[in-house]
Amino acid sequence: MTGPQDRNRRADAQRSRTSILEAAVHVLNADPEASVGAIATAAAVTRQTVYAHFPSRERLLVAVLDHLTEETVAAMDAADLDTGPAVDALLRLLEAGSRTAGRYPVLFQKLGSLPVHPHADQRRHVPIGDRLKRIIQRGQQAGEFDDQLSLDWLVAVTIKLGHAASEEAEAGRLSSVEATEALHVSLLRVFGAAAPR
Amino acid sequence: MTGPQDRNRRADAQRSRTSILEAAVHVLNADPEASVGAIATAAAVTRQTVYAHFPSRERLLVAVLDHLTEETVAAMDAADLDTGPAVDALLRLLEAGSRTAGRYPVLFQKLGSLPVHPHADQRRHVPIGDRLKRIIQRGQQAGEFDDQLSLDWLVAVTIKLGHAASEEAEAGRLSSVEATEALHVSLLRVFGAAAPR
DNA sequence: GACTAATTTTGACAAGGTGTAAGAGATGAC
DNA sequence: GTCATCTCTTACACCTTGTCAAAATTAGTC
C-alpha cells in the first residue's frame, strides 16, 4: 500500500517516517494549524527528526495528503467497481471514498484548498478521477447513461455531488440515508439514465 | 453597500478601515499567506493601526470575506431574479456570482476552507442560499421543476455545480460557453425540468 | 561481538510573524 | 481653539520555521 519502500533505508528511519506520518494525520486532523513541534512530540520524535524526513512543513502536509489519498484509492479499489450496474458501482465508489474521508474530515476539507502548488493537488485527484471515468464510460457504453455531457464534466459533477451529500449529512440537514438517496437520484438524472424503478 | 457606518466614528478612522480592507483584498488575493505587516504597508498604514481596527489577523480575514460576500450578494440582487423562467434567473444569479468571485479567485477558494469557526462560514452563505431558495421555489410552484428533491439539497447542488463549472472553465478543460451549457443542462436535469428545446 | 555507517538527539541560533503596550504626534469634531 | 479620537513610533515577549554542528544511539554486517 505504501509502494516500494525507499532504497537502502534503515529500519529505524522507516519506523520514524511512518510514525511521523501517522501522528501528523491525527494531530493535523484535530488542529490543522498544529506546529511541526507538536507533530514531532505526538510521534515521540524530535522536531529535527521531522526535518530529516520532510524538508518543510508544507512538504510534510503534502506527504500526509498523499498518504490519505492512497488509503482512499485502496478502499475504492476494494469496492468491486466492474460489476453490476454502473450507477451502483458509482455509489459504492463514493461510499468507499466518503467512508475513509469521513475519518479525517478536517484534513479532507483542507485537501481542497491548500496553499500548495495546484499541480500536486491535481496529481492527487487523478487516480480517483480515473476510476470514476472508467465506471461512467462503462455506463455510457452499456446504454445505461446517455452521452450528451462530456466525460470530464460528469466526473467533476460526480465528485462535487458526492461532497455535497457528505456535507449535508455531516451538517445534519439530511440523514445518512436521505443523503444517499438524494445523491442517487441526482446522479441518475444528470447522467440521463432511464428513470429507475 | 457597507451598511450603517459604525456610530461615532471619526472620518479618519473610517477611511483607514476601508483602506485596510481594500488593501487586504488585493494583497491576500495575490498571496493568502501575506502578513499583517504587508497588508498594512499596502494600505499605507502601520501594522498597529490594523490591530486598532481588527483584533487579530483571523478577524481581519473574516471581515474581508464578509466584505466580498456583501459585494457578491449585491451583484446578485442586481440580476433581476424574479423575472422570466426560474432556470434563467438561476443562471443569471450564478453568472453574477462567478463574475465577482472570479475577480478574487484565491480568496474565494479560501472562503471554502478557512481555519475559521464554521459558524461564521454559515452566516456568510445564508444570504446567497436564501436567494437561490427563492428562485428554486418559484420554479417548483410554476411547475417548471418537480419537487422530488428537497429544497436544501437543490440549493447545495446548485452551488456545487456552479463551482464545478467555474473550475472547469478556469482550468481550461471547458470553454466558457461549454461550461455554461453543461451547467445549464445539468441543472435542468437535476431539477426534473421538462427537457428544453 | 565488534565495527561502521546511518539515524536520532541535544543544544543553539537567525529570521520572521503575531499580539501587546505606552507615549508622542496628528487630525477631525464641536 | 480645544478636546477627544486616531495614528505613529518604539519597544517588547512569545512562538514558529528552518538550519547547523557535534554527541549519542542504533541498525546492519563481517
Side-chain angles (χ1 to χ4, degrees):
Chain A
M1 227 54 72
T2 28
Q5 292 317 359
D6 305 14
R7 73 245 155 165
N8 299 16
R9 248 157 98 110
R10 246 171 59 171
D12 70 351
Q14 184 60 36
R15 246 188 328 240
S16 287
R17 189 173 202 279
T18 65
S19 243
I20 293 168
L21 275 178
E22 282 170 17
V25 167
H26 290 99
V27 172
L28 288 173
N29 190 56
D31 171 19
E33 311 282 315
S35 71
V36 174
I39 295 169
T41 303
V45 146
T46 333
R47 201 166 61 89
Q48 286 79 349
T49 301
V50 175
Y51 280 105
H53 288 274
F54 307 95
S56 72
R57 187 182 191 278
E58 187 176 326
R59 293 281 291 275
L60 170 57
L61 263 278
V62 171
V64 167
L65 295 183
D66 283 352
H67 185 68
L68 290 185
T69 301
E70 277 177 27
E71 211 176 287
T72 305
V73 168
M76 288 179 171
D77 281 343
D80 204 15
L81 301 179
D82 298 311
T83 318
V87 205
D88 293 341
L90 216 59
L91 284 174
R92 281 202 300 277
L93 180 145
L94 291 174
E95 226 288 289
S98 79
R99 188 154 17 88
T100 59
R103 272 198 273 174
Y104 313 104
V106 181
L107 281 177
F108 270 88
Q109 190 191 357
K110 202 167 184 57
L111 194 151
S113 77
L114 203 62
V116 157
H117 302 292
H119 159 265
D121 201 61
Q122 191 181 347
R123 168 173 53 72
R124 227 168 0 246
H125 274 102
V126 163
I128 292 173
D130 280 351
R131 281 158 181 78
L132 259 175
K133 222 178 266 191
R134 237 177 49 216
I135 300 177
I136 296 175
Q137 231 161 0
R138 178 160 72 83
Q140 287 183 336
Q141 282 163 7
E144 208 177 329
F145 309 147
D146 71 12
D147 55 358
Q148 203 181 318
L149 291 166
S150 82
L151 204 51
D152 283 342
W153 168 253
L154 289 178
V155 168
V157 166
T158 305
I159 292 176
K160 291 287 183 187
L161 292 192
H163 284 168
S166 297
E167 286 167 19
E168 295 298 296
E170 188 150 0
R173 284 187 291 272
L174 291 177
S175 74
S176 185
V177 241
E178 285 170 336
T180 306
E181 178 65 11
L183 179 59
H184 192 158
V185 172
S186 303
L187 286 178
L188 283 176
R189 288 184 167 187
V190 175
F191 287 7
R197 177 194 59 76
Chain B
M1 228 56 75
T2 26
Q5 293 317 358
D6 304 16
R7 71 236 159 178
N8 300 16
R9 258 229 277 259
R10 247 173 55 174
D12 189 339
Q14 185 60 36
R15 246 190 325 245
S16 286
R17 192 175 199 277
T18 65
S19 242
I20 292 168
L21 275 179
E22 282 171 18
V25 167
H26 290 100
V27 171
L28 289 172
N29 189 55
D31 172 19
E33 311 283 314
S35 70
V36 174
I39 295 169
T41 303
V45 145
T46 334
R47 200 165 63 88
Q48 284 73 357
T49 300
V50 175
Y51 280 105
H53 289 274
F54 306 94
S56 73
R57 186 182 193 279
E58 187 176 329
R59 293 280 292 274
L60 170 57
L61 263 278
V62 171
V64 167
L65 295 183
D66 282 352
H67 184 69
L68 290 184
T69 302
E70 278 179 26
E71 212 175 288
T72 306
V73 168
M76 288 178 170
D77 281 342
D80 203 17
L81 301 179
D82 298 311
T83 317
V87 206
D88 293 340
L90 216 60
L91 285 174
R92 280 202 300 277
L93 181 144
L94 291 174
E95 226 288 288
S98 79
R99 189 153 17 89
T100 59
R103 272 198 272 173
Y104 313 104
V106 181
L107 281 177
F108 271 88
Q109 190 190 356
K110 202 167 184 55
L111 194 152
S113 76
L114 204 61
V116 157
H117 303 291
H119 159 265
D121 202 59
Q122 191 182 345
R123 168 175 53 75
R124 231 172 351 252
H125 275 102
V126 163
I128 292 174
D130 279 351
R131 281 159 181 77
L132 260 175
K133 221 178 267 189
R134 237 177 50 216
I135 300 179
I136 296 176
Q137 230 159 1
R138 179 159 72 84
Q140 287 184 337
Q141 282 163 5
E144 208 176 330
F145 309 147
D146 71 12
D147 55 357
Q148 205 180 318
L149 292 165
S150 82
L151 204 53
D152 283 343
W153 169 252
L154 288 178
V155 168
V157 167
T158 305
I159 291 176
K160 291 288 184 187
L161 293 192
H163 284 169
S166 296
E167 286 168 19
E168 294 298 296
E170 189 152 0
R173 283 187 291 273
L174 291 178
S175 74
S176 185
V177 236
E178 286 170 337
T180 306
E181 178 65 13
L183 179 58
H184 193 156
V185 172
S186 304
L187 286 178
L188 284 175
R189 287 186 168 185
V190 176
F191 286 8
R197 178 198 59 76

